[in-house]
Amino acid sequence: MAKVLVVTSGKGGVGKTTSTAALGAALASAGKNVVLIDFDVGLRNLDLVMGAERRVVYDLINVVQGDAKLAQALIRDKRVPTLSLLPASQTRDKDALSDEGVSRVIAELKEKFDWVICDSPAGIERGATLAMRHADVAIVVTNPEVSSVRDSDRIIGLLDSKTERAEKGERVEKHLLLTRFDAVRAGRGEMLNVEDVLEILSIPLLGIIPESSEVLRASNLGSPITLNNPASAAARAYFDAAKRLNGEALDMTIPSDRKGLFGKLFGRRAA
Amino acid sequence: MTTVATPRQSIRFHGRSYHAMVLSPEPPLADWLAGLDAWLARSPGFFFGRPVVLDLAVLQPGKQGVAELLQNLAERNIKVMGIEGAEPSWLDFAMPPLLLSGRQANSIPGDHPPAAAEASAPALSSDPAPDAAAAPTSAEAASLPAAAAPEAPPAQHPNSLLLDSPVRSGQCIVHPEGDVIVIGSVASGAEVIAGGSIHIYGTLRGRAVAGSRDSRARIFCRKLEAELLSIDGLYMVAEDMPAHLRGQPIQVWLEGDSMVMAQD
């Protein structure tokens, strides 16, 4: 049974696209059939993060409007064969997305894939509401800072009222993904700690992704962190989150890149 | 509003005000009934035990139409206690009585008739413009029928609204007719507005506006992080709240013209 997953946050720049790519690649490497849809029409990024920007021919808008077939627009990943991408259009805007068109595309994708992952644009307008509309599961990406937490709270309210499931009286399964977390700074009180965020948002925690320079490096290389550097702390956190999505019960840990004493000395000398 | 019989009479009459829901059907009736069914599917039991007044000023159904409409509502377990905005000739003796409390029957446009009706509910009262009560103005409390006669206490409104999930940022809960009880937190940027008291079994980070109809209303919360507290038109922003009470379980009430806050 295919599941539709929306990765959303309300606030921009918290790591929706990075998390979509990393989780999608992690799920696909575990053998699932995964498709990533970029809903950020007009400001598409997922193709860059996935390293597929030079292979885009047709996009989501073409499929929604019936100008192209789904099979023509899907881009299969070169590294993981079970991972596909449906890019957004950069030249159109979000008004070009129609409700019926999106429903049709998602229904079609659900027949072919195990996971349909929708990368939501920031904000609470049309693009974001369409991305969450058909979701069975939602991942709310939040940074440990007050503005991000408040925006996430707003999005959770919308997930409970504006989705197809909510309108049928069912619930969308919601998970919190805390990104860019720095345990040292949270300990010093410069950042919200995990308990604060969970207390405010009161939804279950899917994973804690530590702040890491590896994430930015992977994005710029056009490769999800879970493929580019699977041993890094952030990648291990994403792999754990993907396992939890598949129903595995794992202890919640915050992976770290911290080296031993020798590593530290060595690292410092090298730097 | 309140009439007191002279003491020597053996039979005593009271006038008393009640709050009732006004249902205002709109043509085409089939669509309106479908909308009502959809509403009832989402909140079954919404009308259970609530007095309902039917406002026919918009529908203008005629004698036959009234009988059919009453039949339709009865099938949905909605008991009609009175009818407004109808011609006396449409009604026969077996039907609910026609209410002519000196008010113009007000029609209620909108997609969700019961919700809209709730917002402008009191039908049997002769209070001037009680519809404005959704806004927390200080004038509202004065329009209560208080203490005009010893036998008539202020009308009690037992219908409280209980929410068993957190109130999220951007959500606004408006319940002009009674208390609001939230089991969970009220987020920063959320708003709870109640005619009566507000009880929050969690952290209050947003706004609580209580007592739009009752200056005796109070606000209770397990942990105070509120942006704004208001009772009966008086308000206090976060900056004005005593610092030592932040993060504490508190209650707030009115004493004269000032808000008093104490740790519970």
Side-chain angles (χ1 to χ4, degrees):
Chain A
M1 181 63 196
K3 276 196 176 171
V4 180
L5 168 74
V6 62
V7 180
T8 185
S9 72
K11 192 172 183 299
V14 295
K16 284 181 296 297
T17 302
T18 311
S19 298
T20 304
L23 282 172
L27 286 167
S29 331
K32 302 280 180 187
N33 264 318
V34 181
V35 61
L36 311 178
I37 312 179
D38 192 349
F39 269 88
D40 206 346
V41 178
L43 287 170
R44 74 172 188 216
N45 282 329
L46 190 56
D47 54 332
L48 286 172
V49 176
M50 293 298 295
E53 75 278 9
R54 303 199 310 187
R55 300 165 62 202
V56 176
V57 183
Y58 293 108
D59 55 47
L60 177 62
I61 299 289
N62 295 135
V63 182
V64 162
Q65 296 188 337
D67 302 332
K69 291 216 172 67
L70 195 53
Q72 292 174 296
L74 284 175
I75 303 170
R76 182 170 291 185
D77 194 87
K78 284 183 173 166
R79 296 149 295 201
V80 189
T82 52
L83 182 60
S84 300
L85 169 70
L86 182 56
S89 169
Q90 183 73 354
T91 51
R92 310 294 292 273
D93 62 37
K94 291 169 180 85
D95 296 333
L97 286 173
S98 69
D99 204 357
E100 311 80 61
V102 171
S103 311
R104 186 170 49 78
V105 170
I106 293 209
E108 218 172 310
L109 288 170
K110 274 172 90 167
E111 286 170 15
K112 294 184 185 156
F113 293 93
D114 303 319
W115 285 98
V116 178
I117 305 184
C118 307
D119 180 22
S120 167
I124 52 172
E125 282 79 32
R126 186 170 174 76
T129 48
L130 272 175
M132 70 169 66
R133 176 123 193 99
H134 305 278
D136 304 307
V137 186
I139 292 181
V140 180
V141 182
T142 305
N143 288 168
E145 50 141 340
V146 283
S147 56
S148 172
V149 171
R150 180 154 82 177
D151 292 359
S152 295
D153 197 67
R154 181 84 215 260
I155 280 288
I156 296 170
L158 294 180
L159 285 167
D160 285 337
S161 60
K162 292 282 172 69
T163 52
E164 215 172 46
R165 271 181 171 248
E167 283 169 10
K168 280 192 281 180
E170 297 166 23
R171 304 220 104 181
V172 176
E173 202 184 305
K174 297 177 290 282
H175 300 281
L176 175 69
L177 188 66
L178 197 60
T179 53
R180 307 197 66 170
F181 186 77
D182 186 331
V184 177
R185 296 188 65 193
R188 284 202 297 250
E190 296 171 9
M191 251 181 199
L192 292 178
N193 61 37
V194 181
E195 290 73 32
D196 292 339
V197 180
L198 283 175
E199 208 261 317
I200 295 174
L201 295 179
S202 55
I203 57 171
L205 185 62
L206 183 72
I208 302 166
I209 314 297
E211 170 87 54
S212 161
S213 53
E214 287 296 315
V215 175
L216 185 64
R217 188 211 301 262
S219 284
N220 285 332
L221 288 174
S223 170
I225 177 94
T226 42
L227 297 180
N228 187 53
N229 188 354
S232 66
R236 280 181 284 144
Y238 277 119
F239 277 118
D240 281 358
K243 283 180 190 160
R244 290 190 192 100
L245 267 184
N246 275 327
E248 281 185 46
L250 299 175
D251 284 339
M252 188 62 67
T253 53
I254 309 171
S256 81
D257 281 325
R258 207 172 296 163
K259 299 153 194 148
L261 182 63
F262 277 107
K264 257 186 190 166
L265 290 173
F266 197 73
R268 215 169 269 166
R269 203 174 294 160
Chain B
M1 150 137 328
T2 307
T3 54
V4 185
T6 58
R8 276 174 212 134
Q9 273 179 316
S10 56
I11 303 171
R12 297 202 290 180
F13 294 95
H14 302 302
R16 194 171 277 184
S17 64
Y18 293 91
H19 288 270
M21 308 268 304
V22 181
L23 269 184
S24 181
E26 293 162 46
L29 188 61
D31 292 0
W32 184 83
L33 284 170
L36 181 65
D37 284 336
W39 174 270
L40 285 172
R42 265 179 286 149
S43 354
F46 182 81
F47 290 100
F48 181 77
R50 292 199 181 178
V52 171
V53 171
L54 204 54
D55 182 351
L56 300 176
V58 178
L59 190 64
Q60 297 289 325
K63 188 173 170 64
Q64 183 61 31
V66 176
E68 283 173 17
L69 180 59
L70 287 171
Q71 179 64 32
N72 275 321
L73 292 175
E75 282 166 13
R76 291 164 174 81
N77 281 324
I78 299 174
K79 283 188 182 171
V80 177
M81 64 172 293
I83 293 179
E84 264 193 324
E87 303 278 353
S89 63
W90 296 349
L91 308 178
D92 61 37
F93 193 73
M95 288 180 181
L98 185 62
L99 303 173
L100 301 162
S101 49
R103 261 160 44 99
Q104 288 242 308
N106 57 339
S107 60
I108 298 144
D111 296 335
H112 304 292
E118 188 181 27
S120 60
L124 283 184
S125 117
S126 55
D127 291 357
D131 300 17
T137 59
S138 55
E140 284 312 314
S143 71
L144 274 174
E151 287 95 345
Q156 296 291 312
H157 318 304
N159 52 339
S160 52
L161 176 70
L162 185 120
L163 303 167
D164 56 3
S165 56
V167 182
R168 302 288 182 182
S169 184
Q171 290 179 332
C172 183
I173 307 296
V174 183
H175 186 64
E177 313 196 316
D179 293 5
V180 174
I181 303 157
V182 182
I183 301 171
S185 296
V186 175
S188 160
E191 201 167 27
V192 178
I193 300 173
S197 300
I198 296 178
H199 310 255
I200 292 157
Y201 293 94
T203 309
L204 170 59
R205 297 191 180 85
R207 298 172 159 221
V209 177
S212 56
R213 297 201 171 171
D214 185 4
S215 57
R216 296 175 314 148
R218 295 188 177 201
I219 300 171
F220 305 85
C221 67
R222 283 265 176 90
K223 190 174 171 194
L224 176 76
E225 300 283 345
E227 292 165 352
L228 181 142
L229 297 170
S230 162
I231 299 175
D232 193 16
L234 284 169
Y235 69 92
M236 183 188 272
V237 292
E239 229 174 55
D240 305 333
M241 295 171 199
H244 67 279
L245 291 179
R246 291 201 79 79
Q248 301 300 315
I250 57 115
Q251 64 166 309
V252 189
W253 67 96
L254 281 189
E255 256 171 35
D257 276 344
S258 58
M259 281 175 95
V260 188
M261 195 183 280
Q263 195 165 339
D264 260 357

